[in-house]
Amino acid sequence: MSLPEVNSLLAPRFLFRFSVPVLRRDPVWKTGGIALNEPYRLLNLAELDSGTADREKCFADVRTAWSHEGLSFNVIVEGKSQPVWCREGRLEDSDGFQVWIDTRATLNIHRASRYCHRYVFLPAGGGHGQTEAVADQLLINRARENARPIRPRELQVASKITKTGYILAAFVPAAALSGFDPLQHRQIGFTYAVFDRELGIQTFATGTAFPFLEDPTCWAALEMVDG
């Protein structure tokens, strides 16, 4: 039996300012990726929107860890019956994982600063035959100041395509995060979106009803704690 839809003018997630703990891991990355176990799984905040018009399908398991070297992510997507659609020349249209990171956690500004970063990771779409994983930087619309452009191969990514989706590991080094200083700033602004042409979109702090693509007030905070 399906539950009745809740009559809500605002998505429930929008009513809260989230601060989510993230555990430290050393090492946080190695060639080919690193597996993050259950304690590193991020809370599925989108569950708060269940039963409303803003509900999302949950199809991705997202995990993250930090160290002074940077931030590491694992993404497991399941439930697909169609092949992934990824194109290096069409990053924003592809199936994949995007993250927004503000190393100063200035969650009261509506336009991104130079401390705000947007990165995209695709499980395929690169190299010969478009079978290699892709990592790149995207600009944030309406930013007051853009983050420093990354150098080639500064981001790291590895992936495995499965029968029902993919497994992706990604790493954003401290050098690609202007202002990243866990000793002085234990909180960072953060959100993510997993895009999939077949399954839809899965988001973190706020969903598509709000301008999370460009507005840091729509992001949550990650609290970097020692695990």
Side-chain angles (χ1 to χ4, degrees):
M1 181 179 69
S2 61
L3 295 175
E5 185 173 293
V6 177
N7 184 11
S8 177
L9 293 177
L10 291 175
R13 276 185 290 173
F14 183 74
L15 303 177
F16 301 91
R17 175 61 56 83
F18 299 101
S19 181
V20 178
V22 172
L23 297 178
R24 180 173 176 172
R25 192 189 193 286
D26 292 299
V28 77
W29 181 259
K30 63 180 181 181
T31 302
I34 200 163
L36 301 175
N37 56 20
E38 184 65 27
Y40 297 95
R41 185 199 299 265
L42 285 175
L43 293 173
N44 181 18
L45 301 178
E47 287 184 344
L48 293 173
D49 292 344
S50 297
T52 74
D54 298 287
R55 63 188 179 275
E56 296 176 354
K57 181 178 180 180
C58 180
F59 56 86
D61 177 328
V62 181
R63 307 181 184 196
T64 187
W66 75 276
S67 80
H68 292 281
E69 298 173 353
L71 300 171
S72 181
F73 301 94
N74 281 181
V75 181
I76 303 172
V77 169
E78 295 181 322
K80 290 181 62 60
S81 59
Q82 303 172 9
V84 296
W85 194 95
C86 303
R87 300 291 186 272
E88 190 169 16
R90 297 179 62 181
L91 296 173
E92 295 185 70
D93 297 327
S94 295
D95 296 344
F97 176 63
Q98 293 189 34
V99 294
W100 289 256
I101 302 165
D102 177 6
T103 59
R104 287 293 183 264
T106 46
L107 300 174
N108 60 348
I109 61 171
H110 290 280
R111 295 176 62 188
S113 72
R114 63 189 177 94
Y115 298 111
C116 298
H117 311 75
R118 181 185 180 187
Y119 294 120
V120 57
F121 303 94
L122 309 182
H128 182 69
Q130 298 181 332
T131 59
E132 295 180 9
V134 175
D136 209 341
Q137 181 180 38
L138 294 173
L139 294 178
I140 299 176
N141 188 39
R142 298 180 61 249
R144 290 179 177 177
E145 187 177 359
N146 291 321
R148 175 188 69 82
I150 61 169
R151 297 185 295 272
R153 302 186 183 279
E154 197 164 356
L155 303 174
Q156 301 293 316
V157 64
S159 68
K160 177 183 179 181
I161 304 298
T162 67
K163 291 182 179 180
T164 59
Y166 60 86
I167 301 169
L168 182 145
F171 178 57
V172 182
L177 293 169
S178 300
F180 185 70
D181 184 0
L183 288 178
Q184 299 296 324
H185 300 277
R186 300 292 283 192
Q187 275 196 345
I188 58 174
F190 175 81
T191 198
Y192 74 71
V194 185
F195 294 94
D196 192 278
R197 287 189 166 211
E198 177 186 359
L199 301 177
I201 182 172
Q202 179 179 318
T203 58
F204 186 56
T206 56
T208 56
F210 302 93
F212 71 90
L213 296 173
E214 62 186 38
D215 187 343
T217 67
C218 297
W219 306 350
L222 295 186
E223 184 77 30
M224 295 181 285
V225 299
D226 293 313

